[in-house]
């Protein structure tokens, strides 16, 4: 193998050249390829499949932002569980709400700290449905505790599906219109994510 300047192998310079070419292509790629969230919706946690976190909507501008007002508020469905368990500090103090909701077809979908999924009318905030996995009954998860950062949405044969993972290591698939589990998914709507994982203890060790 021949050497280049300063004694480096020729292969080193060829590899470096390929890296430079790749970066040039990436930097010069047209910005139009980054479309952002489609049609005023937010179907992915990052807005679109490329996680651009961008929307082309232009109703809010630097000129009118100061006049924005609250359109509606929502009280987490977790509060009912917390009220029913006042003597369980871990449940009562499960307030690390770090959800990034999604919005598809005028409906906002999300998940809660205590393993519940919900759907709200995007225009009014009215509850469409909620579903409780009762994941909190299997104990507080390790590290950061009761935290759920969101759900995923997809359509199968024209029907919407909402997927969300719980702190006790299950993955659920719900009907987007009703919130009921999809019986054909896993076992009656949920898949066990620690089946076959050695030494994994549900809820308290593997989330």
């Amino acid at each position: 193998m021949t050497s280049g300047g300063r004694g480096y192998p020729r292969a080193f310079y060829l590899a470096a050249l390929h890296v430079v070419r790749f970066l040039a292509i990436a930097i010069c790629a047209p910005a139009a390829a980054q479309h952002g969230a489609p049609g005023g919706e937010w179907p992915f946690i990052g807005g679109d499949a490329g996680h651009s976190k961008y929307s082309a909507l232009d109703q809010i501008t630097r000129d009118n932002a100061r006049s924005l007002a609250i359109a509606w508020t929502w009280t987490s469905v977790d509060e009912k569980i917390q009220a029913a368990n006042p003597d369980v500090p871990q449940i009562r103090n499960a307030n690390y709400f770090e959800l990034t909701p999604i919005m598809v077809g005028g409906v906002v979908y999300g998940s809660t700290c205590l393993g519940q999924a919900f759907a709200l009318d995007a225009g009014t905030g009215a509850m469409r449905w909620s579903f409780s996995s009762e994941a909190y009954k299997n104990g507080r998860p390790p590290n950061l505790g009761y935290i759920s950062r969101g759900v995923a949405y997809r359509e199968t044969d024209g029907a919407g599906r909402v997927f969300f993972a719980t702190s006790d290591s299950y993955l659920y698939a719900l009907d987007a219109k009703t919130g009921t589990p999809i019986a054909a998914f896993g076992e009656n709507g949920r898949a066990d994510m620690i089946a076959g994982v050695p030494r994994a203890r549900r809820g308290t060790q593997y989330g």
Side-chain angles (χ1 to χ4, degrees):
M1 181 181 293
T2 59
S3 297
R6 298 186 182 180
Y8 291 116
R10 184 167 179 266
F12 171 84
Y13 289 99
L14 291 176
L17 180 60
H18 284 303
V19 171
V20 171
R21 286 175 177 170
F22 172 79
L23 291 176
I25 293 172
I27 292 174
C28 296
Q34 300 178 7
H35 297 294
E41 299 191 338
W42 201 264
F44 300 88
I45 288 180
D48 60 358
H51 209 68
S52 67
K53 300 181 181 179
Y54 171 76
S55 173
L57 297 179
D58 57 5
Q59 288 179 301
I60 299 175
T61 68
R62 66 177 64 187
D63 298 320
N64 64 19
R66 68 180 60 189
S67 63
L68 294 176
I70 296 174
W72 52 262
T73 61
W74 173 73
T75 300
S76 173
V77 289
D78 279 358
E79 289 200 1
K80 293 182 179 180
I81 295 176
Q82 291 168 325
N85 296 272
D87 299 327
V88 185
Q90 294 177 347
I91 293 177
R92 187 182 67 241
N93 299 323
N95 297 318
Y96 299 104
F97 201 71
E98 298 185 1
L99 162 73
T100 298
I102 61 174
M103 194 273 278
V104 182
V107 181
V108 173
Y109 299 98
S111 56
T112 71
C113 300
L114 296 178
Q116 301 191 79
F118 62 86
L120 309 175
D121 184 285
T124 66
M127 179 79 75
R128 292 286 186 90
W129 54 257
S130 66
F131 170 82
S132 178
S133 68
E134 299 187 340
Y136 61 92
K137 292 183 178 180
N138 281 317
R140 181 187 183 277
N143 193 12
L144 300 177
Y146 293 111
I147 291 179
S148 180
R149 293 192 172 94
V151 302
Y153 177 94
R154 69 167 294 170
E155 290 191 0
T156 301
D157 298 328
R161 300 286 186 261
V162 174
F163 297 86
F164 81 110
T166 59
S167 60
D168 59 346
S169 311
Y170 286 105
L171 178 66
Y172 283 81
L174 308 177
D175 185 299
K177 289 185 177 181
T178 64
T180 55
I182 305 299
F185 179 83
E187 294 184 4
N188 296 318
R190 73 178 187 181
D192 189 344
M193 304 303 290
I194 62 173
V197 179
R199 297 183 298 279
R201 291 180 297 176
R202 191 174 307 283
T204 58
Q205 185 186 56
Y206 185 93

